[in-house]
Amino acid sequence: MRHLISLTDLTDDDLRALVARGAEFAAGAVAKPLRDEVVGVYFRRTSTRTRTAFTTGALRLGAQTVTFGPGDLQLNTGETTEDTGRVLAGMLDMLVARTSDATAELRTWAASGPMSVVNAMTAEEHPTQGLTDLTTLHCHFGRVEGLRVLYVGEGNNSAAALALALTRFPGTELELRTPPGYGLAADILATAGEQAARSGAKLSEQHDMAALPTGFDVVYTTRWQTTGTSKPDADWRTVFAPFQVSGALWESSPDAVFLHDLPAHRGEEVTAEVLDGPLSLAFTQATNKLHSAMAVLEWCRAVPS
């Protein structure tokens, strides 16, 4: 039994194995290692890709699923996180949970008993998105090492996962351009910087779009209004406007592919020209959520591939 609560919990070997296994599922690998297992899928926040990916992935691996919506558990009537975890751990083999709240809640459930816990997004981090992103890069480029990635937009939980994942790979470069006041959390930036120093990766964050380097392999953005959050500044759209991803970014990186974790708001964080253009991998990336979910489910139950 294993948990995936933060990418920092994974060894380098674990991270590489999960990315490689996701790519194998993307290439058509078939397995039914979770036959007779029961996977709970609990989403307190909206989800299209992640919820569908884990539900479908569990079924394709042979498991049965039990789904819970935001109003279904007695947490809403005052039952404690600890009691909820003890009950679920007595019935489920695995719990996939999206809360958009503190990651500590998932760690409480992970300590409740013999039930694997998967973080399908908390306020701090979206680890399965990071795995999806790396799987997409691996499938497209045949490698992750040495890729140069420009991330433009809010330093949200998807950006946190990207930074925590990509900086584990030697030779990668991650350039973050985030609006002032909306950068990566200080602890995430520090951890990613320490990882980059160990691996030989490069990490930089600036809060404007001036003097961008050239020759990126990847340009990545996420929507400006992250699930379950609101901006403290009523004028935040003015602050974000210079960080829109448009075709102009390709003048200095003409071969770069485009990634977006979706959902997208055309005309806000990205133009339709880019999102729907020939260099966009955004919808391939979305499909890879299924393949990464299958890799995570299989790995958490410690089933050999």
Side-chain angles (χ1 to χ4, degrees):
M1 182 190 69
R2 297 163 169 161
H3 310 289
L4 178 57
I5 297 175
S6 170
L7 291 172
T8 60
D9 297 334
L10 299 176
T11 67
D12 288 350
D13 287 345
D14 288 336
L15 179 59
R16 285 167 172 75
L18 282 165
V19 171
R21 187 59 171 156
E24 289 175 1
F25 281 124
V30 178
K32 293 280 186 180
L34 302 187
R35 198 181 309 273
D36 300 325
E37 301 259 304
V38 180
V39 178
V41 181
Y42 173 42
F43 277 63
R44 284 209 295 261
R45 299 291 184 176
T46 57
S47 174
T48 299
R49 281 148 291 276
T50 306
R51 182 172 181 171
T52 305
F54 274 101
T55 304
T56 303
L59 294 171
R60 288 192 176 184
L61 292 173
Q64 301 297 312
T65 62
V66 180
T67 60
F68 309 101
D72 290 341
L73 297 182
Q74 297 289 0
L75 285 164
N76 292 320
T77 64
E79 185 169 41
T80 67
T81 298
E82 291 80 4
D83 288 353
T84 299
R86 290 178 67 183
V87 170
L88 294 177
M91 301 182 188
L92 300 175
D93 298 295
M94 189 179 311
L95 178 67
V96 178
R98 167 172 291 189
T99 68
S100 292
D101 296 316
T103 304
E105 182 178 19
L106 273 63
R107 295 202 183 279
T108 297
W109 289 333
S112 298
M115 174 181 70
S116 296
V117 176
V118 175
N119 178 358
M121 193 175 78
T122 58
E124 299 98 328
E125 188 184 340
H126 195 352
T128 61
Q129 181 64 52
L131 290 172
T132 297
D133 299 340
L134 266 60
T135 296
T136 303
L137 297 178
H138 179 87
C139 289
H140 183 79
F141 292 101
R143 60 186 170 88
V144 175
E145 292 82 358
L147 294 178
R148 303 183 68 221
V149 179
L150 170 65
Y151 176 89
V152 179
E154 186 176 17
N156 57 19
N157 43 29
S158 288
L162 180 67
L164 292 173
L166 199 63
T167 53
R168 305 275 283 274
F169 287 79
T172 58
E173 297 182 27
L174 176 59
E175 177 87 12
L176 298 122
R177 294 300 178 103
T178 57
Y182 296 94
L184 280 183
D187 59 333
I188 297 290
L189 189 60
T191 299
E194 292 168 1
Q195 291 180 172
R198 287 196 301 269
S199 70
K202 294 182 180 179
L203 174 68
S204 174
E205 182 179 38
Q206 297 185 46
H207 303 298
D208 59 48
M209 292 296 287
L212 280 173
T214 62
F216 288 107
D217 299 298
V218 182
V219 176
Y220 190 143
T221 195
T222 69
R223 66 175 175 173
W224 288 345
Q225 191 65 44
T226 304
T227 300
T229 65
S230 59
K231 304 288 190 293
D233 178 7
D235 196 36
W236 66 267
R237 290 184 184 277
T238 301
V239 177
F240 275 64
F243 296 84
Q244 183 187 73
V245 172
S246 69
L249 287 178
W250 271 260
E251 292 177 4
S252 59
S253 299
D255 298 321
V257 298
F258 175 68
L259 296 184
H260 192 306
D261 60 354
L262 301 180
H265 291 179
R266 292 168 178 83
E268 288 192 358
E269 76 277 5
V270 62
T271 63
E273 169 198 15
V274 171
L275 181 65
D276 301 315
L279 294 173
S280 175
L281 298 182
F283 291 92
T284 298
Q285 182 184 3
T287 301
N288 280 335
K289 278 217 166 181
L290 169 62
H291 308 132
S292 292
M294 293 173 71
V296 167
L297 292 168
E298 183 184 66
W299 178 86
C300 280
R301 299 311 292 170
V303 179
S305 61

